[in-house]
Amino acid sequence: MNPAITNLALMLVMMQVSRRLDLEDPDILFYVRIAYLSCQAIAFAVCLYVKFSINKKNDLTTLKYVEPANPMAGQPEPKAVVTTVKEYDLKQIDQQIKGLFTSLAMMGFMHVYMKYTNPLVMQSISSVKGALETNIVKIHLWGKAASGDLKRPFKAAPGLLQALQGAGGEVKTDKASIDAAETSGAGGIKEE
């Protein structure tokens, strides 16, 4: 099933749930907070399990790819990256963990400082759903083969700026692109 459709359906259901809850009642608000923090803990536990699984597999297969140029970050040319499957996977799961903590910080600011309570209900289930639907979790938790859409390096959805500019910001894995990036000034970089 398409994750965008399930996200929309989940948001509509959670909006209805939040409307029916009396979030002014301190007892109900306490349980909503507990539910939100529990969902965040579940998503974090999934990430930690996947990280443990990556380290246990210790796949040292070499992975070469070319990252697209990013002029906004001061990288005018594509960059050749040489890494291992283990390091690539660890980088992916670390980004997911960082996203969880960023979301937790934003939600804490919105709830504690700005006194918004509805987002607690809305974001509680979506964080677990999002954690379970990432490519790295599909490979290491659900045991799916790393082929097709799950082939490393993963294809990232274009950002808003890339979509507006029509920039081709996809990672390239073909030999010609890798050779061209390695012979240019930004090639042969080994990720640590």
Side-chain angles (χ1 to χ4, degrees), residues 4 9 14 18 20 30 52 57 63 83 94 100 122 124 135-136 149 153 158:
M14 295 311 285
S18 70
R20 297 185 194 282
F30 174 76
F52 173 77
K57 287 180 184 176
L63 181 63
T83 188
D94 286 343
L100 278 173
M122 306 285 283
S124 60
N135 290 337
I136 200 73
D149 287 343

Side-chain angles (χ1 to χ4, degrees), residues 92-118:
Q92 294 296 311
I93 200 67
D94 286 343
Q95 285 177 349
Q96 188 172 341
I97 291 170
K98 183 179 176 185
L100 278 173
F101 283 114
T102 303
S103 172
L104 190 63
M106 287 181 11
M107 193 57 59
F109 173 75
M110 288 175 62
H111 180 64
V112 173
Y113 183 72
M114 300 179 78
K115 307 291 186 216
Y116 290 139
T117 54
N118 281 350

Side-chain angles (χ1 to χ4, degrees), residues 15 19 28 53 62 105 131 138 150 174 185:
M15 281 174 54
R19 284 185 187 165
I28 292 175
S53 176
T62 301
K138 287 178 185 176
L150 298 179
D174 60 290

Side-chain angles (χ1 to χ4, degrees), residues 64-67 75-83 177-191:
K64 289 183 176 185
Y65 60 95
V66 178
E67 288 182 346
Q75 180 186 344
E77 295 183 17
K79 178 175 85 168
V81 178
V82 179
T83 188
S177 297
I178 292 171
D179 288 343
E182 284 178 341
T183 57
S184 75
I189 297 170
K190 169 122 174 58
E191 295 236 332

Side-chain angles (χ1 to χ4, degrees), residues 2-191:
N2 187 349
I5 292 172
T6 57
N7 283 342
L8 180 63
L10 182 66
M11 282 297 143
L12 291 174
V13 168
M14 295 311 285
M15 281 174 54
Q16 294 303 316
V17 169
S18 70
R19 284 185 187 165
R20 297 185 194 282
L21 292 174
D22 179 18
L23 295 175
E24 299 296 321
D25 182 3
D27 291 335
I28 292 175
L29 185 59
F30 174 76
Y31 289 117
V32 168
R33 288 175 180 158
I34 294 296
Y36 174 76
L37 292 174
S38 299
C39 288
Q40 296 302 312
I42 290 168
F44 185 64
V46 166
C47 291
L48 288 181
Y49 176 79
V50 168
K51 192 168 188 170
F52 173 77
S53 176
I54 292 167
N55 285 321
K56 185 178 175 185
K57 287 180 184 176
N58 199 25
D59 188 354
L60 299 177
T61 307
T62 301
L63 181 63
K64 289 183 176 185
Y65 60 95
V66 178
E67 288 182 346
N70 187 358
M72 301 294 254
Q75 180 186 344
E77 295 183 17
K79 178 175 85 168
V81 178
V82 179
T83 188
T84 63
V85 170
K86 176 185 175 182
E87 291 301 317
Y88 181 80
D89 288 357
L90 286 173
K91 183 178 175 185
Q92 294 296 311
I93 200 67
D94 286 343
Q95 285 177 349
Q96 188 172 341
I97 291 170
K98 183 179 176 185
L100 278 173
F101 283 114
T102 303
S103 172
L104 190 63
M106 287 181 11
M107 193 57 59
F109 173 75
M110 288 175 62
H111 180 64
V112 173
Y113 183 72
M114 300 179 78
K115 307 291 186 216
Y116 290 139
T117 54
N118 281 350
L120 288 176
V121 178
M122 306 285 283
Q123 293 297 318
S124 60
I125 301 297
S126 63
S127 62
V128 174
K129 180 183 176 298
L132 294 174
E133 287 181 340
T134 60
N135 290 337
I136 200 73
V137 171
K138 287 178 185 176
I139 292 171
H140 292 284
L141 183 67
W142 304 122
K144 293 191 176 186
S147 60
D149 287 343
L150 298 179
K151 185 176 185 224
R152 295 172 190 95
F154 304 131
K155 291 184 172 84
L160 179 63
L161 189 59
Q162 289 175 336
L164 292 174
Q165 293 176 342
E170 84 180 44
V171 175
K172 296 179 183 174
T173 57
D174 60 290
K175 184 162 177 41
S177 297
I178 292 171
D179 288 343
E182 284 178 341
T183 57
S184 75
I189 297 170
K190 169 122 174 58
E191 295 236 332

